[in-house]
Amino acid sequence: MSDPRGAGVRPGLLARLKAGLARSASTFSDAIASALGSGRLDQATLDQLEEGLIAADLGVPTAAALIAGLKEERLGKEASADEVRAVLAGRIAARLAPLARPLAPDPARKPHVILVAGVNGTGKTTTIGKLAARFKAEGHRVVLAAADTFRAAAIEQLKVWSDRAGATFVAGAVGGDPAGVAFEALTRAMAEGADILIVDTAGRLQNKAALMEELAKIVRVLKRLEPSAPHDVVLVLDATTGQNAIGQVEVFQSVGAVSGLIMTKLDGTARGGVLVAIAEKFKLPIHAIGVGETIEDLQPFEADSFARALTGV
Amino acid sequence: MFEALTERLGQIFEGLTRRGALTESDVTAALREVRVALLEADVALPVVKKFIDEVHAKAIGTDVIRSVTPGQMVVKVVHDHLVQTLGAEADELRLAGAPPVAILMVGLQGSGKTTTTAKIGFRLKERDRKKVLMASLDTQRPAAQEQLKVLGEQAGVPTLPIIAGEMPVDIARRALTAARLGGYDIVLLDTAGRLHVDEALMAEAAAVADVSQPAETLLVVDALTGQDAVKVAERFTQRLKPTGVVMTRMDGDVRGGAALSMRAVTGCPIKLIGVGEKMDALDQFHPARVASRILGMGDVVSLVEKAAETIDRDEAAKLEARVKSGKFDMNDLAQQFRQMRKMGGMDGLLAYLPGVQKAKAQLAANKIDDRMLARQEAIILSMTKTERKNVKLLNGSRKRRIAAGSGTSVPEVNRLVKQFIQMADVMKKVGRMDPKLLRRHGIPGLIPRA
């Protein structure tokens, strides 16, 4: 299948990332700029700043904590809009920086198994397609397992990505046992001496106990073949999701031992600020962000640029 | 991290209800908490502000001061205004017009458009006896057209044959022609997910709307959406003039904050909600129910529906008979544990119930959680069949064996047995009692105490 938007002249990657994130930033920086009209940091300004953070999905407690820190330090002092933004960005970046860690498959493992999970529609399959292309470009032998046997045409969708990336593709029957597909894929990846196996799973809401149990079963079955697998369990979060993302991390972590996060859809106006709250609470590595639909649109997560874009520095 | 809106408002208004008179500052204080609670439930900031202003104006007035219990009056004002903002009446799809009537589905990527399209197709076919044709105009996402085709087969709703490489506007034209020739009543046009800032794709959707002149343009929105809901709603409203909203994933543990934002910003009625993975998991939107859920009155109606969906009716009848005849045994208890897990565990159940805060605190104090349920079930499963039927058999050595088998300890086994005996006693009484009493004490009366 063709990808009309992948063709043609494309601006540089950095410019695209910036453009994507700048959209995220604009509203927030507007809020700060208007808040700082007077030049002196007062309570009304702080309230407006807090609202700016809330509107960026940071959530009330996280926003309140950040503003409290700012208040202690700066209340009543002269502060330009840029200074306040820089301080806020610095504080946010400081929380996120220790967690910025790209997915790094261990070459000693044959294969390094990556399980990808998340609620419906967050962009799991697309993200896997991008990951596969990247690993392939880096010279790895990649196997993709279509363990989403539930959603109609999910297997076909992954197949298209697999073909684009030039990966080996393993799928089972529609409606079949996802754990079975994972088992077969791992068996095959081991036999072929593949470097990386990425397992796609069906989207599931975290409050569906039976579906979460199914995910736990996939993990168990992988462990039966290779006790150290899965080596990464990546939870894909949608930047447009609000505070519910926190609950998603919590529940997925309890069943599947989530080892890292990828946040998608940061190319819209959603700011993904909930990631700051999540970082605070779970201290999970943040591997990458998705800023578009083509293969190059998966970027390593950078705390500085994320925080700066969030606050509009 | 954040308390559910339900609990939050429950706390606030509990404080208000206890007092006799209500001052303006009381209302202001309460509404400040309402504001935070709404934000935590992902209602968009501008919508929250407007809502609070409106409620404030309504609440501070003679109504409140003269009423007997001012706290309850505030609850009522907030609730009524929520219902009003969410849309007072459940709204049907508009299907009037010369057939084939087109319905256009639009929304962000991953909001659930394709699944929703198939569900609507199924609903119109089954419920409204319409002849429906579905067509996917999604040439962006790999296999999106196949997805609708497969869903169409599952739903028994025909889909337009796929022609590779055809552009969306052309597919729309072909779908309308095919529908006209085939005598279809409705054509459902499923478009690609698009970002509201993607000018090219928004223009494409507008072109499709021009060609198809839809009777309904439904904006499909994920109920999990956060603050971004406002931007999405604004841009889609400007460009595509949706006539209705479909909220998906309302079966998640969400409070419906995005529903409030969508309704307020688009001005469109919320016509339908997606409540599950199955083809028929599409419901009418009931503003009052969602408002009640938000305000801590508990969505008891949905709980009952959920129970009806998961609980095996025959088993329930059997259990009732056993309770009545005083034959409630360990097998029945294990069955109860499994049932609770199926319905989403303790938290899942409690989320629907009023007064959750207190119940949760009680449970926490008694260390009752889902893990405990699992351990207790393991203990029961480690008993022999005869032991399960007659707990009196359990002597020291049997208890040691059960503890070892279930990975627990003898004191834990003892505790369960003691609870069971207490419970069985209660059950015997219940069996002889009039059902009204059970209703009064409700589920908490059945939960064993550690």
Side-chain angles (χ1 to χ4, degrees):
Chain A
M1 190 166 297
S2 73
D3 188 338
R5 294 198 293 165
V9 185
R10 301 175 54 84
L13 284 186
L14 207 64
R16 285 155 47 71
L17 174 61
K18 238 182 169 174
L21 285 174
R23 265 187 233 114
S24 307
S26 59
T27 320
F28 182 64
S29 27
D30 289 352
I32 297 186
S34 69
L36 286 171
S38 64
R40 204 174 277 277
L41 191 61
D42 56 14
Q43 188 56 49
T45 311
L46 285 170
D47 287 348
Q48 266 178 292
L49 286 172
E50 187 176 308
E51 288 191 345
L53 292 174
I54 289 169
D57 278 323
L58 270 85
V60 177
T62 311
L66 280 163
I67 293 302
L70 197 65
K71 181 178 179 179
E72 202 175 294
E73 222 174 74
R74 300 277 164 130
L75 187 66
K77 293 181 187 157
E78 288 291 330
S80 74
D82 285 345
E83 276 169 16
V84 174
R85 278 184 215 155
V87 171
L88 268 179
R91 281 168 185 268
I92 293 170
R95 289 163 190 234
L96 296 175
L99 303 172
R101 210 174 305 157
L103 260 183
D106 183 346
R109 294 188 178 115
K110 298 281 178 188
H112 182 98
V113 181
I114 302 172
L115 183 68
V116 180
V119 306
N120 323 55
T122 55
K124 284 176 296 301
T125 308
T126 306
T127 301
I128 290 170
K130 295 173 185 173
L131 282 173
R134 197 192 92 199
F135 290 139
K136 198 73 193 165
E138 288 168 3
H140 297 293
R141 297 187 56 185
V142 181
V143 178
L144 296 186
D148 180 355
T149 56
F150 181 79
R151 182 166 62 87
I155 297 170
E156 288 84 346
Q157 187 186 353
L158 189 67
K159 175 87 169 67
V160 172
W161 281 107
S162 180
D163 292 346
R164 281 183 198 168
T168 303
F169 184 68
V170 179
V174 174
D177 178 16
V181 178
F183 187 88
E184 191 200 325
L186 181 53
T187 311
R188 193 150 149 208
M190 286 165 119
E192 291 182 3
D195 301 308
I196 297 164
L197 165 66
I198 311 179
V199 182
D200 188 15
T201 63
R204 62 201 76 224
L205 287 168
Q206 71 270 23
N207 63 338
K208 307 276 169 181
L211 288 174
M212 294 310 284
E213 172 52 33
E214 179 193 277
L215 188 66
K217 184 181 169 192
I218 296 176
V219 174
R220 281 202 304 275
V221 162
L222 287 170
K223 281 194 189 306
R224 214 179 295 156
L225 271 180
E226 171 51 58
S228 68
H231 307 103
D232 280 298
V233 178
V234 176
L235 181 67
V236 178
L237 297 172
D238 181 335
T240 58
T241 303
Q243 302 306 301
N244 191 263
I246 298 167
Q248 291 173 19
V249 177
E250 194 158 13
V251 179
F252 274 93
Q253 199 176 21
S254 71
V255 296
V258 172
S259 65
L261 308 169
I262 290 180
M263 180 166 263
T264 61
K265 303 189 199 173
L266 274 166
D267 46 336
T269 47
R271 280 139 279 177
V274 71
L275 206 51
V276 181
I278 288 170
E280 191 94 317
K281 184 164 188 195
F282 301 97
K283 315 269 183 238
L284 281 168
I286 306 163
H287 297 309
I289 55 170
V291 292
E293 296 189 76
T294 60
I295 275 175
E296 312 90 89
D297 290 329
L298 190 71
Q299 304 288 328
F301 176 77
E302 281 177 29
D304 259 0
S305 52
F306 184 84
R308 284 209 309 264
L310 207 59
T311 51
V313 176
Chain B
M1 189 69 203
F2 67 94
E3 301 162 53
L5 181 56
T6 310
E7 295 163 12
R8 190 88 185 222
L9 291 183
Q11 277 179 336
I12 301 161
F13 289 124
E14 208 172 288
L16 282 183
T17 318
R18 272 199 299 271
R19 276 195 246 163
L22 198 69
T23 64
E24 175 168 344
S25 66
D26 282 336
V27 174
T28 309
L31 290 183
R32 199 176 299 138
E33 291 299 316
V34 172
R35 173 184 171 277
V36 172
L38 290 170
L39 285 171
E40 285 181 345
D42 286 326
V43 181
L45 188 62
V47 177
V48 172
K49 284 183 168 176
K50 188 159 168 275
F51 184 85
I52 295 294
D53 284 350
E54 289 163 355
V55 173
H56 195 264
K58 269 195 189 173
I60 299 178
T62 48
D63 287 311
V64 177
I65 291 154
R66 280 184 199 152
S67 70
V68 189
T69 53
Q72 284 164 356
M73 194 62 210
V74 176
V75 177
K76 191 179 180 316
V77 173
V78 174
H79 179 266
D80 288 354
H81 200 67
L82 254 179
V83 174
Q84 198 187 322
T85 312
L86 285 167
E89 284 296 314
D91 211 325
E92 291 282 331
L93 290 176
R94 281 185 305 194
L95 303 171
V101 171
I103 299 178
L104 186 64
M105 310 290 293
V106 297
L108 297 181
Q109 294 97 331
S111 53
K113 281 176 301 304
T114 306
T115 306
T116 304
T117 303
K119 284 181 186 174
I120 292 178
F122 181 75
R123 183 186 172 93
L124 292 175
K125 184 193 91 169
E126 294 292 314
R127 199 169 147 273
D128 301 301
R129 303 278 152 218
K130 298 285 183 190
K131 200 174 167 199
V132 184
L133 179 69
M134 305 193 293
S136 168
L137 318 186
D138 187 350
T139 54
Q140 297 282 329
R141 184 163 57 91
Q145 293 176 293
E146 285 80 355
Q147 186 185 353
L148 188 66
K149 178 170 167 266
V150 173
L151 288 172
E153 283 159 12
Q154 286 170 14
V157 176
T159 47
L160 189 74
I162 300 166
I163 297 178
E166 195 177 21
M167 296 305 287
V169 174
D170 299 326
I171 303 175
R173 277 204 196 93
R174 184 160 61 89
L176 288 165
T177 311
R180 209 168 290 127
L181 296 176
Y184 287 92
D185 303 311
I186 314 273
V187 189
L188 282 166
L189 300 172
D190 178 26
T191 64
R194 64 203 68 229
L195 282 170
H196 45 297
V197 291
D198 188 329
E199 202 29 61
L201 277 179
M202 289 301 274
E204 178 201 276
V208 169
D210 267 356
V211 166
S212 54
Q213 293 296 318
E216 289 268 18
T217 299
L218 298 177
L219 177 59
V220 182
V221 182
D222 184 344
L224 307 176
T225 309
Q227 296 289 325
D228 199 42
V230 166
K231 299 251 175 45
V232 173
E234 281 171 356
R235 303 276 183 112
F236 272 97
T237 305
Q238 276 166 20
R239 290 304 306 265
L240 299 172
K241 309 230 174 345
T243 55
V245 174
V246 181
M247 301 298 301
T248 59
R249 295 197 252 290
M250 286 290 278
D251 53 327
D253 53 357
V254 285
R255 292 289 146 190
L260 189 59
S261 308
M262 276 297 148
R263 169 70 212 193
V265 178
T266 63
C268 295
I270 296 168
K271 299 223 163 175
L272 294 162
I273 57 171
V275 290
E277 314 245 11
K278 297 206 181 86
M279 210 45 86
D280 59 356
L282 189 70
D283 270 355
Q284 207 85 47
F285 178 69
H286 296 286
R289 272 198 213 173
V290 173
S292 295
R293 189 161 151 184
I294 288 173
L295 285 179
M297 297 163 189
D299 188 358
V300 178
V301 181
S302 293
L303 175 66
V304 170
E305 282 173 1
K306 188 169 184 175
E309 190 185 299
T310 29
I311 291 175
D312 190 320
R313 225 165 277 243
D314 294 343
E315 292 221 26
K318 252 188 251 164
L319 178 69
E320 200 185 327
R322 294 177 68 79
V323 167
K324 278 205 174 134
S325 59
K327 275 188 196 151
F328 185 78
D329 68 16
M330 283 281 186
N331 283 315
D332 299 315
L333 186 57
Q335 175 70 24
Q336 290 302 295
F337 290 153
R338 275 194 291 274
Q339 203 70 261
M340 285 184 78
R341 278 226 306 271
K342 241 182 167 169
M343 287 179 67
M346 289 274 192
D347 287 346
L349 284 176
L350 289 178
Y352 288 96
L353 295 173
V356 194
Q357 191 68 32
K358 271 190 215 150
K360 267 198 176 160
Q362 270 173 16
L363 290 177
N366 289 322
K367 295 210 172 69
I368 296 175
D369 62 15
D370 291 335
R371 272 185 47 215
M372 195 192 85
L373 288 184
R375 287 174 78 84
Q376 297 199 330
E377 195 187 335
I379 292 174
I380 297 174
L381 293 176
S382 297
M383 295 177 185
T384 65
K385 279 182 187 163
T386 18
E387 284 165 353
R388 282 181 224 173
K389 283 199 180 123
N390 183 6
V391 283
K392 285 181 189 134
L393 286 175
L394 296 176
N395 57 23
S397 98
R398 281 176 189 261
K399 281 177 184 167
R400 274 193 298 280
R401 191 203 77 242
I402 291 163
S406 57
T408 57
S409 60
V410 174
E412 277 180 274
V413 176
N414 280 330
R415 211 174 304 140
L416 177 72
V417 171
K418 198 175 144 207
Q419 278 171 19
F420 170 77
I421 292 169
Q422 284 173 353
M423 236 174 131
D425 281 350
V426 174
M427 292 284 184
K428 262 180 218 156
K429 281 181 210 147
V430 170
R432 275 182 260 129
M433 248 165 18
D434 119 67
K436 269 184 211 143
L437 212 64
L438 178 63
R439 232 172 279 147
R440 203 174 307 151
H441 295 291
I443 291 177
L446 296 178
I447 293 174
R449 290 183 174 254

